[in-house]
Amino acid sequence: ASSPTEEGALRGGHGEHGEPGHQEPHKDSYSTFASEFLESRYLLTTVPAGYPFPTAPPVDPFARIKVSDCGVTKGCIRYGKPGCDADTCDYFLSYRRIGTDVEYEMSADTDGWVAVGFSSDKKMGGDDVMGCVHDDNGRVRIHHFYNVGQWAKEIKRNPARDEEGIFENNRVTCRFKRPLYVPREETLVDLHLSWYYLFAWGPAIQGSITRHDIDSPPVSDHMISIYKYEDIFMPSTAYQTFNSPLCLLLIVALTFYLLMGTP
């Protein structure tokens, strides 16, 4: 009778000192393949139709911008037709504080790009700018720019994070966070300070921005503080005609002339 060590060596293929022992023969590869093939055929014929095979997890859709939060839990600036929202304004911007970050949402009626600039004097030039650009692959990416006169230069250092965007219904819409405090640098401003906000949008060529749609982009009439959630509406040019003092004066004069005209 063999000892347990010798028996294990014969079964396991090695003796006590590593000598090769008797190994059991491997199963024939063709018979193994045939049995697996028959089992797969059996599963295909026995699994009922419509069996939920595993699929890739769905991609979270872009969360729509809620204008009902404007002036309550976030600040909003709307430019366009009275009563417009994030889907219908010529330009829309929202901001809110989240911890040590500021979250921005932007949307504009364009197939190219939409941006916001932080200015100390209401004029373009020397401004920190965040822009969302629709590229040729259909993606919307967040870029960091610095205005040099009337020209926007892209800056490699991009403070944006948690970025997302979508191009839909001929609108570029995006959302991103940016740190509230940043090291002092020419191309980055501290958002805890108040700034005039510059609003711009326009076409893009191969993912690069071109000149904005209107010659004089709108700008906030006062400095915006991220600590104050306002809901600001700015009528676009098409709706400013009847709101200007000169136009109202002309309307009053014309009405008076018609009423007091000679019979």
Side-chain angles (χ1 to χ4, degrees):
S2 60
S3 64
T5 304
E6 293 173 347
E7 183 177 358
L10 292 175
R11 292 182 179 179
H14 294 279
E16 182 178 0
H17 300 288
E19 300 85 352
H22 173 72
Q23 297 186 5
E24 295 182 354
H26 291 288
K27 292 183 180 180
D28 182 73
S29 59
Y30 175 78
S31 61
T32 303
F33 167 76
S35 62
E36 292 176 352
F37 177 76
L38 291 175
E39 288 177 2
S40 64
R41 289 293 300 272
Y42 173 77
L43 288 174
L44 290 175
T45 55
T46 56
V47 174
Y51 181 81
F53 285 99
T55 57
V59 178
D60 292 338
F62 184 89
R64 294 295 179 185
I65 298 177
K66 296 181 179 178
V67 295
S68 58
D69 296 336
C70 293
V72 182
T73 59
K74 65 183 179 183
C76 296
I77 301 173
R78 320 180 198 203
Y79 176 85
K81 181 180 180 180
C84 66
D85 57 25
D87 295 325
T88 58
C89 286
D90 294 353
Y91 179 97
F92 178 91
L93 171 78
S94 77
Y95 59 90
R96 65 169 176 162
R97 302 184 313 278
I98 302 179
T100 57
D101 291 334
V102 180
E103 181 184 74
Y104 287 97
E105 297 173 313
M106 286 192 289
S107 176
D109 184 15
T110 180
D111 62 356
W113 58 273
V114 55
V116 59
F118 309 101
S119 173
S120 60
D121 58 5
K122 284 189 174 186
K123 300 178 181 179
M124 290 185 63
D127 309 311
D128 179 0
V129 178
M130 300 300 297
C132 304
V133 185
H134 176 219
D135 62 25
D136 291 345
N137 296 320
R139 299 169 299 186
V140 175
R141 298 293 179 86
I142 286 74
H143 297 255
H144 181 217
F145 301 95
Y146 183 75
N147 279 343
V148 180
Q150 299 294 313
W151 177 63
K153 176 184 178 182
E154 184 166 1
I155 306 299
K156 290 184 178 180
R157 183 187 177 189
N158 192 341
R161 54 193 181 205
D162 296 339
E163 61 181 73
E164 54 181 329
I166 188 174
F167 175 70
E168 190 176 56
N169 299 325
N170 200 51
R171 292 190 70 87
V172 174
T173 306
C174 64
R175 180 183 295 113
F176 62 91
K177 294 185 182 73
R178 175 173 152 156
L180 179 60
Y181 297 96
V182 293
R184 184 175 180 82
E185 186 178 322
E186 182 183 11
T187 61
L188 287 171
V189 301
D190 282 331
L191 295 176
H192 74 280
L193 301 175
S194 298
W195 303 92
Y196 290 107
Y197 279 22
L198 307 176
F199 315 112
W201 62 97
I205 299 177
Q206 297 181 349
S208 298
I209 67 174
T210 61
R211 182 174 173 79
H212 37 71
D213 275 349
I214 53 181
D215 292 334
S216 299
V219 56
S220 62
D221 60 0
H222 62 276
M223 287 188 167
I224 303 296
S225 169
I226 55 95
Y227 296 102
K228 184 179 180 181
Y229 292 158
E230 304 179 77
D231 189 3
I232 302 170
F233 171 73
M234 302 170 60
S236 61
T237 305
Y239 300 96
Q240 290 176 4
T241 305
F242 294 103
N243 293 329
S244 65
L246 178 59
C247 183
L248 292 176
L249 181 61
L250 290 175
I251 292 175
V252 171
L254 180 59
T255 303
F256 180 80
Y257 174 79
L258 293 176
L259 291 177
M260 300 302 292
T262 56

